Amino acid sequence: MSEPFSVRVTVRGYETDVQGHLNQSVYLNYAEHARWSLLKAAGISQSGLVAKGVGPVALETTIRYRRELLAGDEVEVTCAFIWGEGKTFRVEQTIRRTDDGTVAAEVTGVGGLMDLKERRLVANPREYFRALATDPALFGL
């Protein structure tokens, strides 16, 4: 398997809490940023999804906080889609300091692709992503 897709983010001071470390909710923002960056890199836009009548949905998210992050820390946020059978897929993400490789958090999620008219998950999201992407290899397809 190839290396997972990744983006770099620098922790901004306004994202920290009273203890001086990255606020818990911001980890979700970083993970979301990496997922949308992967879609963009693969050639899938929000408008393209809407034009096809579908949109990604988060069904479950778990964050494992490992080490604190401070203002000015640079991190790499990875993103890998894990495909199974059926209507859902997993997304595995790691938030790691770039200076020493320390894992700050692990974010795992279960997602799906919703038919925006029917308001139900599509039967095979993998095939939608494969058809919409100009570079489906970024999704492991």
Side-chain angles (χ1 to χ4, degrees), residues 48-113:
L49 289 165
V50 170
K52 289 290 184 184
V54 296
V57 293
L59 302 170
E60 175 182 311
T61 304
T62 301
I63 305 173
R64 289 173 207 84
Y65 301 100
R66 302 293 187 197
R67 295 286 184 270
E68 69 180 351
L69 291 173
L70 306 174
D73 286 345
E74 184 175 82
V75 296
E76 177 182 61
V77 186
T78 64
C79 185
F81 279 62
I82 312 299
W83 304 99
E85 300 301 319
K87 297 179 179 184
T88 63
F89 51 85
R90 286 186 309 123
V91 182
E92 296 181 352
Q93 299 184 261
T94 303
I95 300 172
R96 178 187 323 270
R97 289 174 50 121
T98 59
D99 61 349
D100 63 5
T102 298
V103 173
E106 297 163 329
V107 181
T108 57
V110 175
L113 198 57

